Structure formats: C-alpha cells, structure tokens
C-alpha cells in the first residue's frame, strides 16, 4: 500500500499542534485573546497564529494537508472542474457566503476520504454507492449528527446536479444512511441570567481596555434579545435598515436567512440604547459620520444608510469572531448566574426572545413572521417549549375537583402515621 506523503505532517498537526492550540486558547490572558480575535475571525486566527497557510503556500507541506475542517474550504483549494461547475450553478441561486463555504468544506472532507487524501484528483466515476458509504462511515466516527446530515445534504445536491447533467449514472446518496436528529426543544435563558449578563456588560463602562466597548456590546445583546436577530443578521444589519416611527419606536428591516427578508418592530427603549451606542461610535470614528445630529434622539441620521450597524474596534463591519468572542466573554464574566445555552451562544439569545413571546401568548403565526421561519412547525417548537398551551390544557382537567374530597386533616394524618409506626 502506498503511504500518503502527507501522513506525517497531518499526524504532527493532529497530535502535537492542536493540543498546543487548545492549551494556548485555554490559558491565554483574556486581554490578549480578545485583542487578537477582535481583528480576525476564529478559527482562521489560530491558523494564522501558527503559520499554517504560509507553510502550505511555500510547499513545506503537501497541498492535501488542512488545519481543521474550516480551513479545508479555504480560498485556493484545488477543486475538480466538475465541482467548480456545481458551485457556479449554486451561486446563481444567490445563497449566503456561509452556505457556499459549507459546500466547499463538505466536498473537501468526503472527497479527501474517497480520493486517497487529494480531493483534486477525485473523478465522477469514483462516486459510487460503496465509496460514499465507506467515506461517510469514516466521517461519522468523529462528527455530530447535525454535521453528518449537512454533509450528506451537500453531497445529495451535488450528485443530483451530476445526474441531471448526465455525468453520473445515478444518485448513490439515497442508498447512504444518515442519522436522525434528536427533536430537542429550544432552550432559553432565565430572566436572572439575562439580568446578570446585562449587569456584567455595564461593569465595563469606563474601561481602558481597547477591546471593551460597553455601549456596543449592550446594544448587540439587547438587539438579539428584543428583536430576535440571528448572528449573521446582526452582522449584516445596516443603520439604514432601522426606520423610526412617529411614536418614537422603529422597525428593523432584517436581511433574513436564505434571502427571506422581514420587518421586526422594536420599542423606543431599545432604540435609545442603539442611539447611545452610535453616539459613542461617533466619538471613536468621527470621520465616518455624515453630519451632526440636528435633533435630540436622531443619532441614526448622522450616519450613511449603508454604514454597518455594528462594527468592530477598527470601525469596519463586525466579524463573526468578534461577535462570538464578546458575547462569550460576557457570559464567562457573569459567572454561574448566566450560563449560555449549550451549543447556541448567540442563537440562545434568539431562543430567549422567541420563548418570552410564546410565554406572553403570542400566536404561532405572528411568532413565525417575527422570527422569519418558513413553517409554523418550526415556530410551534417555541410554544411547546414555553409550555403555556399544555399547562392551560392540563388545568382544565375536571379531576382537579376531586382533590377537595381527598383532602387530609394534618392532625389525623400524623395520628395515623404514629399508629402505623407502632
């Protein structure tokens, strides 16, 4: 059997380098970590820190070597022509950049397994029922069910494209198993956790740390909690997307997932928080403003409409890494009183928004519109998680009336217990 020339390097990265990165991230002072991550998205930051892309570019490691799943889809990967045609076909449907990145990542990881370590050498004839089953079995050993299903979906769409283009005799993915996802209910933060989180952010006011920006972080978290925006929706929001109303409130035009835009109303209290943040931003970046606000409360008017709503400390649109790291830091500093929703750091704030509305008896249709869901079934999960419907239904049980007939006299009950003990 021919030994893969990149085996030694991959083993070094997996066995030696990755544990060092994990330890560094765990023990690095928060000030250093936050300052670096504020500029570069994680995990590309780690790759840059360890010089992996540069070493690959200069040929010190095989081209097939990749540092983790994220960099497997990095720019410059050598991809087969037929897969590039697939990407071009999908691009015309205007998917998000995250979706296109996922296509590349999922292709590379399976193609590497099928193609013997080099995805660029994979040919359509290699895509068979047996090769796909073997590759997905290997992939499933160390990946979660959600990742496996997403990867399966990517290859199913790819094989359908090849089949309809008469490059593949049939789609083998229908014969490749995929795991079922557990139908868990969305979890929300309790009110005490929300309060602890906001109090922690407020403590940073007046901080001299360059990465601390209390006004922005407060506006970020409250916008997620009071408007239910996803992480990418927070990043892509522009100042011009906020339209004020005559009563002092506003409506946020949200660039939703999958190109599904929606409008979310917000109240004057949140608008005031955003205005305070924009005033602090004008002090940090005076050259970026368009003009001075001429009326009290018109902080929105001094910025160009296409200016990003939330920015990093460099004044550019906030990165995914900065967004995650700031909210993660707030949860960490809030301590045990504010534990993030497992697996849903930013999205847990959106879960909280939806659950609070469901607890307030907002109907499912309205909830669907506010959250930007395609189906009421998805929105119904928040109503189910809130438990308001089931609790109201259970309370109607007429057998509750029988409790009065079964009431026990405390004194008699203690006498009976004493007698029983004898």
């Amino acid at each position: 059997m021919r030994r893969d020339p990149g085996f030694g390097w991959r083993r070094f990265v997996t066995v030696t380098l990755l544990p060092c990165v994990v330890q560094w991230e765990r023990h690095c002072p928060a000030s250093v970590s936050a300052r670096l991550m504020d500029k570069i998205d994680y995990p590309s930051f780690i790759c840059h820190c360890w010089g992996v892309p540069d070493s690959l570019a200069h040929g010190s490691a095989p081209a097939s070597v990749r540092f983790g799943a994220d960099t497997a889809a990095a720019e410059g990967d050598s991809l087969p022509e037929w897969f590039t045609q697939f990407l071009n076909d999908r691009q015309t449907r205007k998917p998000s950049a995250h979706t296109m990145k996922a296509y590349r990542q999922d292709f590379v990881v399976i193609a590497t397994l099928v193609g013997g370590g080099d995805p660029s050498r994979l040919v359509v004839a290699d895509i068979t029922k047996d090769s796909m089953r073997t590759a997905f079995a290997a992939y499933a050993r160390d990946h979660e069910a959600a990742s496996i299903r997403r990867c399966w979906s990517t290859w199913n769409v790819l094989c359908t494209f090849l089949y309809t283009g008469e490059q593949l005799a049939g789609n083998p993915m229908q014969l490749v198993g995929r795991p079922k996802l557990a139908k868990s209910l969305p979890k929300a933060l309790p009110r005490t956790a929300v309060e602890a989180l906001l109090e922690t952010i407020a403590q940073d006011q007046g901080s001299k740390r360059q990465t601390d920006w209390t006004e922005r972080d407060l506006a970020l978290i409250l916008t997620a909690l009071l408007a239910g925006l996803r992480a990418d929706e927070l990043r892509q929001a522009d100042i011009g997307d906020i339209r004020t109303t005559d009563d002092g409130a506003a409506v946020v035009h949200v660039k939703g997932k999958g190109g599904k835009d929606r409008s979310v109303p917000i109240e004057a209290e949140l608008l005031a928080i955003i205005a305070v943040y924009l005033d602090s931003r004008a002090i940090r970046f005076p050259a970026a403003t368009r003009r001075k606000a001429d009326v009290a409360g018109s902080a929105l008017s001094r910025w160009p409409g296409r200016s990003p709503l939330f920015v990093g400390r460099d004044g550019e649109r906030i990165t995914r890494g900065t967004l995650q790291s700031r909210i993660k830091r707030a949860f960490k500093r809030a301590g045990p009183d504010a534990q993030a929703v497992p697996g849903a750091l930013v999205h847990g704030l959106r879960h909280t928004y939806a659950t609070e509305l469901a607890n307030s008896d907002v109907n499912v249709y309205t909830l669907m519109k506010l959250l930007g869901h395609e189906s009421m079934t998805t929105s119904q999960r928040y109503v189910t998680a809130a438990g308001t419907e089931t609790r109201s239904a259970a309370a109607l049980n007429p057998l509750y009336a029988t409790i009065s007939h079964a009431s026990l006299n405390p004194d008699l009950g203690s006498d009976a217990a004493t007698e029983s003990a004898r």
Side-chain angles (χ1 to χ4, degrees), residues 23-62:
Q23 291 299 319
W24 180 90
E25 188 181 26
R26 184 176 299 167
H27 300 293
C28 176
S31 59
V32 177
S33 177
R35 185 160 61 249
L36 291 171
M37 291 179 70
D38 195 55
K39 295 292 293 179
I40 306 174
D41 281 353
Y42 178 87
S44 61
F45 149 73
I46 294 179
C47 300
H48 175 74
C49 176
W50 284 92
V52 173
D54 291 339
S55 64
L56 292 176
H58 287 86
S60 59

Side-chain angles (χ1 to χ4, degrees), residues 140-413:
R141 292 191 190 105
D142 54 359
H143 287 82
E144 298 293 335
S147 299
I148 300 168
R149 287 180 65 89
R150 191 196 72 177
C151 191
W152 186 98
S153 178
T154 294
W155 277 86
N156 184 51
V157 173
L158 171 59
C159 290
T160 300
F161 167 79
L162 296 173
Y163 171 69
T164 55
E166 299 182 349
Q167 299 184 60
L168 195 64
N171 183 356
M173 294 307 299
Q174 301 305 318
L175 302 174
V176 179
R178 54 176 171 166
K180 290 184 178 180
L181 289 179
K183 296 182 178 179
S184 59
L185 294 175
K187 296 180 176 62
L189 297 172
R191 189 72 58 87
T192 54
V194 173
E195 292 172 352
L197 193 64
L198 298 178
E199 288 174 2
T200 298
I201 295 174
Q203 292 172 4
D204 286 337
Q205 192 166 8
S207 172
K208 301 300 182 182
R209 286 164 45 100
Q210 293 183 348
T211 53
D212 287 342
W213 191 350
T214 303
E215 296 85 358
R216 181 204 59 189
D217 293 351
L218 190 63
L220 260 175
I221 290 181
L222 284 174
T223 302
L225 282 170
L226 298 175
L229 271 61
R230 301 178 177 93
D232 203 53
E233 292 170 350
L234 289 168
R235 291 187 58 247
Q236 298 303 324
D238 293 332
I239 292 179
D241 293 332
I242 301 178
R243 308 292 176 85
T244 57
T245 57
D246 294 337
D247 60 354
V251 175
V252 182
H253 177 76
V254 182
K255 305 177 184 70
K257 182 179 179 181
K260 304 175 188 70
D261 294 0
R262 67 185 187 279
S263 295
V264 179
I266 60 174
E267 297 302 311
E269 292 85 351
L270 176 57
L271 191 60
I273 294 292
I274 294 175
V276 171
Y277 150 62
L278 292 177
D279 287 340
S280 71
R281 177 171 156 185
I283 296 174
R284 287 179 176 238
F285 311 106
T289 58
R290 182 171 57 188
R291 62 177 181 270
K292 290 186 178 180
D294 48 4
V295 181
S298 61
L300 295 170
S301 64
R302 72 172 68 180
W303 298 90
R306 288 188 170 273
S307 179
L309 178 58
F310 295 110
V311 298
R313 65 186 185 90
D314 57 357
E316 301 297 326
R317 188 178 298 276
I318 193 169
T319 65
R320 182 182 297 273
T322 298
L323 175 61
Q324 293 278 348
S325 65
R326 297 309 300 172
I327 295 180
K328 182 178 180 180
R329 179 178 183 271
F331 272 110
K332 184 176 180 180
R333 294 183 65 241
D337 293 334
Q339 296 295 318
V341 175
L345 183 62
V346 182
H347 214 70
L349 304 178
R350 174 176 160 88
H351 288 333
T352 305
Y353 165 81
T355 303
E356 288 292 329
L357 291 181
N359 274 322
S360 301
D361 293 329
V362 172
N363 65 67
V364 179
Y365 178 78
T366 302
L367 198 59
M368 180 184 73
K369 292 298 183 183
L370 289 173
L371 292 170
H373 290 154
E374 273 191 336
S375 169
M376 282 191 188
T377 303
T378 307
S379 305
Q380 178 64 38
R381 295 172 65 243
Y382 291 99
V383 178
T384 304
T388 52
E389 286 185 347
T390 53
R391 182 179 178 183
S392 299
L396 297 176
N397 190 338
L399 291 177
Y400 273 103
T402 64
I403 291 180
S404 60
H405 300 288
S407 296
L408 300 176
N409 186 314
D411 295 333
L412 292 177

Side-chain angles (χ1 to χ4, degrees), residues 27-160:
H27 300 293
C28 176
S31 59
V32 177
S33 177
R35 185 160 61 249
L36 291 171
M37 291 179 70
D38 195 55
K39 295 292 293 179
I40 306 174
D41 281 353
Y42 178 87
S44 61
F45 149 73
I46 294 179
C47 300
H48 175 74
C49 176
W50 284 92
V52 173
D54 291 339
S55 64
L56 292 176
H58 287 86
S60 59
S64 60
V65 177
R66 292 297 179 266
F67 189 89
D70 193 50
T71 53
E75 292 292 336
D77 278 341
S78 178
L79 302 174
E81 178 62 27
W82 50 269
F83 181 69
T84 302
Q85 293 172 1
F86 165 75
L87 291 180
N88 292 337
D89 176 75
R90 304 309 295 180
Q91 189 67 62
T92 59
R93 305 166 195 265
K94 302 299 289 183
S96 67
H98 183 71
T99 299
M100 293 300 294
K101 179 180 178 181
Y103 283 145
R104 294 186 181 89
Q105 176 178 312
D106 294 337
F107 170 79
V108 168
V109 71
I110 297 299
T112 300
L113 292 170
V114 176
D118 188 354
S120 65
R121 295 182 180 179
L122 185 70
V123 296
V124 176
D126 293 333
I127 304 175
T128 65
K129 174 189 67 176
D130 292 337
S131 66
M132 289 293 102
R133 281 179 171 175
T134 302
F136 271 88
Y139 181 73
R141 292 191 190 105
D142 54 359
H143 287 82
E144 298 293 335
S147 299
I148 300 168
R149 287 180 65 89
R150 191 196 72 177
C151 191
W152 186 98
S153 178
T154 294
W155 277 86
N156 184 51
V157 173
L158 171 59
C159 290
T160 300

